[in-house]
Amino acid sequence: MTARPATYLGKDLLGLEDLRRDQILAILDTAEPFKEISERPIKKVPVLRGKTIVNAFFENSTRTRVSFEFAEKRLSADTVSFAAGASSVAKGETLVDTARNLEAMRIDMVVMRHSSSGAARFLGERIASNVVNAGDGKHEHPTQALLDLLTIRDRLGRLEGVRVCIVGDVLHSRVARSNIWGLRKVGAEVAVCGPATLLPADISELGVTVFRRVEDAIEWADVLNVLRLQLERMQGGFVPSLREYNRVFGVTRRRVEQAPRDLVILHPGPMNRGVEIDSAVADGPHSVILEQVTNGVAIRMAVLYLLAGGAPEAAEAAKGGSNL
């Protein structure tokens, strides 16, 4: 294959484990001017005019897929979306065959979600087009973590020294892994909290603090990132019942009100209300869940712009309509 010229982020965005601190901060800084585009009457700039992006979602998604589609359209890219169930994959075609056929149509980027960990890297090593990982198995979900970082920085004004506790089903969560990598690289302190059955056995090796009681986590943290129970990935036996999980580990209004400081509450969605988080918390003054959704579009615009060859320092000019 003919390699594309290297960009500031490299050819692909596969995960935050591979990124340097300066690259993570550059994505956050690049997203800032793109936020304003979404507030305009005409929500579009010609930055990616002429670029073709394929959204290949081999796993169900609503929020991430729609967020990427908004980002692509606001940058004026031509987009094609397909789901595995309606594609040749359902007839037995391999991932590489599908991608190579798409690339033969002269596409520029592939945004891919897949149920297999490592699928994005596997694809990126075999096609010349840029690959963006929109979630691969239980491995990483880099753009979700980036929008979480941006939301925390927006609310607290900093990331260095912020205490962030990830609460819930860490074992099955690609969001947790990307957040741990990203937060630690920008100087935040990271902890996890959940039942022992929902924490990886080697979690402490990632440099995080482990809390066994959610009350202790709340006492320690500035930010709680609450993860849903991924019931579709569980075969049973991880928790006694949803009601019991909420009683022991749920982020409830009573627990939040007893915190020694004002907490910032994040949730990547979709939420199991009344299980890992109460509606009063999700919709309350501590919640930045809707801000996460808004920031998701800006982050994905920034990632696409940088992978297409845009320079971080030129993002402000790009917002005004200049081409790459």
Side-chain angles (χ1 to χ4, degrees):
M1 71 181 181
T2 302
R4 291 182 180 274
T7 69
Y8 182 73
L9 298 181
K11 185 179 87 70
D12 307 316
L13 178 68
L14 304 177
L16 299 195
E17 182 179 4
D18 299 326
L19 292 189
R20 303 184 307 270
R21 171 191 170 92
D22 66 286
Q23 291 174 312
I24 293 172
L25 293 176
I27 296 171
L28 303 187
D29 293 341
T30 302
E32 291 290 352
F34 285 133
K35 286 185 191 180
E36 188 265 333
I37 294 171
S38 297
E39 305 302 323
R40 297 177 179 178
I42 300 176
K43 300 173 175 61
K44 187 166 286 196
V45 291
V47 173
L48 294 188
R49 181 181 293 162
K51 300 287 186 182
T52 302
I53 303 175
V54 171
N55 298 306
F57 280 71
F58 296 87
E59 192 178 49
N60 290 337
S61 170
T62 300
R63 289 164 180 78
T64 300
R65 177 179 55 80
V66 170
S67 183
F68 267 109
E69 288 177 358
F70 271 126
E72 293 153 7
K73 292 180 186 300
R74 288 176 186 175
L75 295 174
S76 300
D78 297 316
T79 66
V80 178
S81 297
F82 79 92
S87 74
S88 296
V89 175
K91 303 172 186 175
E93 185 171 82
T94 69
L95 173 61
V96 172
D97 285 339
T98 297
R100 285 176 175 166
N101 277 291
L102 291 169
E103 195 168 46
M105 302 175 198
R106 301 299 184 261
I107 64 172
D108 297 288
M109 295 186 193
V110 178
V111 176
M112 187 177 75
R113 169 168 286 193
H114 202 282
S115 60
S116 297
S117 299
R121 184 177 300 278
F122 179 85
L123 185 67
E125 291 172 347
R126 287 162 175 79
I127 66 173
S129 304
N130 304 107
V131 175
V132 180
N133 182 6
D136 61 331
K138 294 186 282 187
H139 177 228
E140 282 217 47
H141 192 351
T143 57
Q144 178 66 49
L146 288 165
L147 73 89
D148 292 343
L149 267 63
L150 182 60
T151 305
I152 293 168
R153 192 174 74 170
D154 284 350
R155 177 58 68 99
L156 298 180
R158 62 189 174 91
L159 290 167
E160 185 85 32
V162 173
R163 292 181 169 186
V164 182
C165 187
I166 301 168
V167 181
D169 185 1
V170 177
L171 179 66
H172 299 102
S173 176
R174 52 195 169 209
V175 173
R177 285 162 179 78
S178 287
N179 264 277
I180 290 169
W181 288 117
L183 287 163
R184 293 193 67 234
K185 287 185 179 183
V186 298
E189 298 181 50
V190 187
V192 296
C193 177
T197 53
L198 293 179
L199 298 179
D202 60 349
I203 188 64
S204 59
E205 295 178 13
L206 296 181
V208 302
T209 302
V210 179
F211 289 109
R212 300 299 180 184
R213 298 177 67 251
V214 71
E215 291 84 359
D216 295 337
I218 288 172
E219 184 177 351
W220 175 86
D222 302 306
V223 178
L224 293 185
N225 196 343
V226 186
L227 305 178
R228 73 182 179 92
L229 291 184
Q230 298 193 36
L231 301 175
E232 73 279 8
R233 298 183 189 271
M234 299 181 189
Q235 302 302 314
F238 286 92
V239 294
S241 68
L242 300 185
R243 181 176 181 180
E244 180 69 6
Y245 180 87
N246 178 260
R247 186 185 71 80
V248 179
F249 288 101
V251 178
T252 63
R253 178 167 60 182
R254 179 181 60 81
R255 286 178 169 138
V256 170
E257 288 175 346
Q258 291 176 350
R261 63 190 66 83
D262 284 340
L263 289 173
V264 178
I265 306 291
L266 291 84
H267 194 302
M271 290 182 283
N272 296 310
R273 290 174 180 259
V275 181
E276 72 267 4
I277 189 168
D278 284 1
S279 290
V281 176
D283 302 327
H286 300 283
S287 171
V288 291
I289 294 171
L290 294 181
E291 287 91 330
Q292 287 176 271
V293 176
T294 300
N295 284 338
V297 176
I299 281 290
R300 285 155 183 145
M301 291 173 73
V303 166
L304 297 171
Y305 164 78
L306 292 171
L307 285 178
E313 62 274 10
E316 187 68 34
K319 178 194 75 174
S322 301
N323 290 313
L324 290 170

